[in-house]
Amino acid sequence: MNKPELGIADRQREFFYSRSVRNVEFRLEQLHVLKRIIIDHEARILEALNKDLQKPEAEAYTSEIAPVLHEIDLALKHLRSWSKPERVRTPRILYPGSSAIYREPYGSVLIIAPWNYPFQLAMIPLVGAMAAGNCAVLKPSEISSFTSRAMAEMIGASFDPSYVTVIEGGVDLTHQLLSQHFDCIFFTGSSRIGKIVMEAAAKYLTPVVLELGGKNPCIVDKDVDVEKTARRIVWGKYFNAGQTCLAPDYLLVHKAVKEKLIDAIRLTIERFYGNEPFQSPDYARIINQQHFVRLSALLKEGEIVVGGATDSTARYIAPTVIEKVSWNNNIMSEEIFGPLLPVLDYEDITEVIELLQRKSKPLALYFFSRNKQYQKRILSELSSGGVSINDTMAHIQNVCLPFGGVGESGMGEYHGKASFDVLSHKKAVLKRSFFADPQMKYPPYRTPLKYLKKVLKFLY
């Protein structure tokens, strides 16, 4: 495994100040290079994702490669306009003068990526860092080792390590990197590790972007299209075998449609993956034995009504639906991050809202209902990183929408222009002329307060 060279953050900072990293044309050129190597290495990336997670080719391309290429194309198209100073209003008190917001890069950005979408969740932050004019150190997860190696070789062959580099290794290496003085840290992972990252960043008051997880509720009202609701829930829950930070973590279903919905979910699973999902080429596997054991233990809680089959050797857990769970069970107190779907029922939407208001703010919230008033209440009375109404994981597919968490599910948003913004410092700039310089501003102060208040109200 590669070891981080001592002072990589400092070396990148030197490169940042001595080279043309901040030049827009340089950024565009490097984004073209990144796009080319991704296209050239597509087969290698898909193979690595299959080895790590047994991701189906179509699922791997649509969730890992296509979104990254789309982000690069968006940056290539709009980077010049994003980089221009943004003119803002100047109050009369500062006349003659002009005001603008300049977006400048931080310097060297440390990107710590997870294993569940090991390519996408490393590359999209990298696109944002490069577009904003930063240097970057990318630390992939050692758990998804094949994808990590592929990225290290791709990036290493195409970029100066003082500009962009991939450093591979385990937990000790991550701690070593966190001890260095980076100018910004972008972390995707669990809330527990996010707190460690934030604590390390505090030593240098380094700004952080934390993309974390949480228990994403999926609320189903009685006024829904049951078949479409089941299809959209099954897709969102069992995509990547449930190893998605945005996956519906549990269902809160109105009693009037609960049994119909469970039956529809059972039929949908069969349509998607067949009677034996183990044989399906379209169903992924659990990342490693540790997570397989953790998820298998959760199967012992509640009553399994769909699925439940496991195979330790293949790290396989079937798409599973579980009833008769309580909020005291482990499956309802920790993020599942796997293909297990607990189902609880309710009768009154107000009770659901009051219940969720007492829980940690999730990364995503899903609500299925035709009732516009209920939709309005969910949006206004519950806080979450993002919301999809009558679908799951839909809002993340629109790069015009910022993606991020709130509270324990994270801080800072990215995707599209939001990636450029979150990895840029907004520098306030005011330019004034030497013409006119009212004495009222300076001591000794002689203007009566009554008159001063009127003047200031006019000038501001």
Side-chain angles (χ1 to χ4, degrees):
M1 291 183 179
N2 296 338
K3 296 294 183 183
E5 301 175 44
L6 290 176
I8 183 65
D10 291 332
R11 292 191 340 142
Q12 284 204 337
R13 197 174 293 109
E14 288 181 6
F15 185 93
F16 173 78
Y17 284 115
S18 64
R19 304 292 178 92
S20 55
V21 178
R22 289 169 288 178
N23 181 277
V24 172
E25 297 306 317
F26 177 85
R27 303 184 209 179
L28 292 169
E29 178 185 330
Q30 299 308 306
L31 287 170
H32 276 294
V33 172
L34 183 61
K35 180 180 180 180
R36 176 180 54 77
I37 64 174
I38 292 172
I39 293 172
D40 290 347
H41 291 82
E42 178 185 306
R44 169 83 187 276
I45 298 164
L46 292 174
E47 179 186 15
L49 291 167
N50 184 266
K51 287 180 177 179
D52 282 327
L53 287 147
Q54 202 171 317
K55 288 199 179 195
E57 188 175 80
E59 188 172 294
Y61 185 83
T62 57
S63 66
E64 300 266 13
I65 296 177
V68 178
L69 293 176
H70 183 43
E71 292 275 346
I72 294 174
D73 287 341
L74 195 73
L76 289 172
K77 182 178 180 180
H78 297 289
L79 184 55
R80 286 190 178 88
S81 62
W82 291 350
S83 302
K84 290 179 180 178
E86 178 187 347
R87 295 292 298 270
V88 296
R89 175 184 172 274
T90 302
R92 294 187 186 96
I93 196 170
L94 296 171
Y95 283 179
S98 63
S99 304
I101 299 169
Y102 283 63
R103 286 170 173 80
E104 64 178 15
Y106 282 112
S108 178
V109 176
L110 173 62
I111 300 168
I112 305 174
W115 53 261
N116 59 325
Y117 291 86
F119 189 76
Q120 184 216 131
L121 296 180
M123 288 293 140
I124 290 183
L126 178 61
V127 172
M130 293 171 65
N134 297 287
C135 298
V137 172
L138 178 55
K139 166 58 180 72
S141 172
E142 70 280 7
I143 296 175
S144 47
S145 58
F146 290 98
T147 309
S148 174
R149 180 95 299 258
M151 289 190 292
E153 292 177 359
M154 288 165 47
I155 297 295
S158 304
F159 295 103
D160 185 326
S162 294
Y163 172 50
V164 174
T165 188
V166 176
I167 299 180
E168 297 184 271
V171 175
D172 290 343
L173 185 142
T174 303
H175 283 294
Q176 187 178 345
L177 287 171
L178 286 171
S179 70
Q180 297 189 39
H181 184 189
F182 286 91
D183 300 297
C184 183
I185 299 175
F186 193 114
F187 170 79
T188 304
S190 70
S191 299
R192 180 178 64 84
I193 304 301
K195 293 174 183 177
I196 296 173
V197 171
M198 196 166 184
E199 184 177 359
K203 179 180 178 181
Y204 298 108
L205 297 179
T206 300
V208 295
V209 181
L210 301 178
E211 298 300 336
L212 311 177
K215 294 188 73 64
N216 305 317
C218 182
I219 308 163
V220 182
D221 182 33
K222 61 183 177 181
D223 186 10
V224 295
D225 182 318
V226 174
E227 184 179 340
K228 287 187 175 68
T229 298
R231 189 159 61 234
R232 294 171 185 182
I233 289 173
V234 169
W235 177 79
K237 178 61 182 180
Y238 302 114
F239 193 92
N240 199 33
Q243 298 166 113
T244 306
C245 59
L246 278 171
D249 195 88
Y250 59 93
L251 298 186
L252 286 167
V253 186
H254 196 285
K255 283 184 176 181
V257 295
K258 177 183 173 183
E259 295 307 320
K260 289 181 181 178
L261 181 63
I262 291 176
D263 287 341
I265 287 174
R266 180 185 293 106
L267 290 172
T268 302
I269 290 173
E270 290 180 7
R271 291 193 189 103
F272 282 9
Y273 307 113
N275 292 327
E276 294 292 337
F278 183 85
Q279 305 295 334
S280 172
D282 299 317
Y283 187 65
R285 294 296 184 265
I286 306 306
I287 182 68
N288 61 17
Q289 199 64 28
Q290 177 185 344
H291 284 279
F292 176 85
V293 171
R294 176 184 64 82
L295 289 165
S296 296
L298 296 179
L299 282 169
K300 299 174 183 178
E301 301 181 335
E303 177 184 318
I304 295 172
V305 294
V306 179
T310 65
D311 185 312
S312 173
T313 304
R315 305 193 313 275
Y316 165 80
I317 297 179
T320 299
V321 179
I322 303 174
E323 278 200 272
K324 297 182 180 178
V325 296
S326 77
W327 291 99
N328 296 322
N329 291 142
N330 290 329
I331 200 169
M332 292 306 298
S333 62
E334 62 183 65
E335 184 179 7
I336 296 171
F337 222 68
L340 315 181
L341 183 61
V343 181
L344 301 93
D345 56 40
Y346 74 92
E347 289 186 271
D348 183 1
I349 193 66
T350 299
E351 292 178 3
V352 171
I353 291 172
E354 291 175 351
L355 170 70
L356 295 181
Q357 286 173 339
R358 297 192 293 270
K359 304 291 181 183
S360 296
K361 298 175 181 179
L363 182 60
L365 185 148
Y366 304 117
F367 182 55
F368 287 83
S369 178
R370 292 188 179 96
N371 190 309
K372 302 294 184 183
Q373 187 60 36
Y374 286 173
Q375 291 180 13
K376 184 177 180 180
R377 288 193 63 189
I378 291 293
L379 292 173
S380 64
E381 298 180 40
L382 292 175
S383 178
S384 61
V387 178
S388 287
I389 300 289
N390 294 330
D391 207 346
T392 62
M393 301 204 301
H395 58 286
I396 195 176
Q397 298 172 60
N398 183 356
V399 294
C400 296
L401 291 173
F403 170 65
V406 59
E408 289 195 19
S409 59
M411 61 179 67
E413 299 83 25
Y414 73 123
H415 285 187
K417 186 174 184 293
S419 297
F420 174 86
D421 287 338
V422 80
L423 293 170
S424 302
H425 165 61
K426 294 181 181 178
K427 181 166 64 176
V429 176
L430 188 130
K431 298 179 181 179
R432 294 201 66 203
S433 165
F434 284 111
F435 179 78
D437 200 24
Q439 178 59 40
M440 183 187 301
K441 173 180 175 181
Y442 304 106
Y445 303 115
R446 295 290 182 264
T447 306
L449 186 58
K450 182 178 179 180
Y451 176 68
L452 182 62
K453 289 179 180 179
K454 292 180 179 179
V455 173
L456 289 176
K457 184 176 181 179
F458 171 77
L459 292 177
Y460 278 112

